[in-house]
């Protein structure tokens, strides 16, 4: 049986200032996360289409999750927590499941638009926030203080 190698595994060169910000995904995994996000956004549109609701609801409700920035008025830790709750999959998936179970279109619409928002944000490299900074996400660094 061959001996396992003991050579250290080296990571590819970091890009986009990720060396200064540990936790920012780079390289191929970042590309795959964006492809996954695109698939989520397209699927959310397909689910919305099944509701028969008017399409103007999408632009009317699309930015609702971004109101979570108001939680930053209570501090960065609370802000990041609220932002991440409204920008991750469990809540919109729960709304979709509840809407399907209770045959309630408003819940399905809310879940589909929540997933659409999540997918579009991730495609644009807006990820989940860290407690220490609004501009640092798991997919990149955004804002005027970007290094």
């Amino acid at each position: 049986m061959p001996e396992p190698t003991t050579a250290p595994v080296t990571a590819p060169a970091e890009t986009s200032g990720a060396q200064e910000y540990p936790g920012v995904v780079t390289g191929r995994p970042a590309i795959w996360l964006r492809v996954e996000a695109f698939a989520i956004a397209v699927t959310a549109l397909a689910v919305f289409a099944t509701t028969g609701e008017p399409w103007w609801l999408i632009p009317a409700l699309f930015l609702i999750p971004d109101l979570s920035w108001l939680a930053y008025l209570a501090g960065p830790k609370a802000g990041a927590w609220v932002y991440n709750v409204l920008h991750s999959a469990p809540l919109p998936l729960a709304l979709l499941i509840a809407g399907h179970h209770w045959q309630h279109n408003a819940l399905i619409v809310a879940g589909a638009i929540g997933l659409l928002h999540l997918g579009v944000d991730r495609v644009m490299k807006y990820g989940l926030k860290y407690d220490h900074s609004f501009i640092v996400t798991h997919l990149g660094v955004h804002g005027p203080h970007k290094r």
Side-chain angles (χ1 to χ4, degrees), residues 16 24-25 125-128 135-142 146:
S16 307
V24 174
V25 179
K125 294 170 104 175
Y126 288 97
L128 298 173
I135 66 167
V136 180
T137 76
H138 81 287
L139 295 176
V141 181
H142 303 278
K146 184 176 177 182

Side-chain angles (χ1 to χ4, degrees), residues 47-48 51 53 91-115:
V47 169
F48 181 86
T51 66
E53 298 295 335
L91 180 59
L93 289 174
L95 291 170
L96 286 173
I97 291 167
H100 177 73
H101 177 73
W102 289 314
Q103 298 178 2
H104 198 279
N105 264 4
L107 294 174
I108 296 170
V109 166
I113 292 175
L115 284 177

Side-chain angles (χ1 to χ4, degrees), residues 18-68:
Q19 289 174 339
E20 296 113 38
Y21 299 103
V24 174
V25 179
T26 62
R28 284 195 182 112
I31 293 168
W32 279 111
L33 287 173
R34 291 176 76 196
V35 169
E36 177 183 60
F38 182 76
I40 289 169
V42 170
T43 302
L45 286 173
V47 169
F48 181 86
T50 67
T51 66
E53 298 295 335
W55 287 91
W56 61 262
L57 284 173
I58 292 175
L61 301 174
F62 184 79
L63 293 176
I64 295 291
D66 285 338
L67 293 175
S68 61

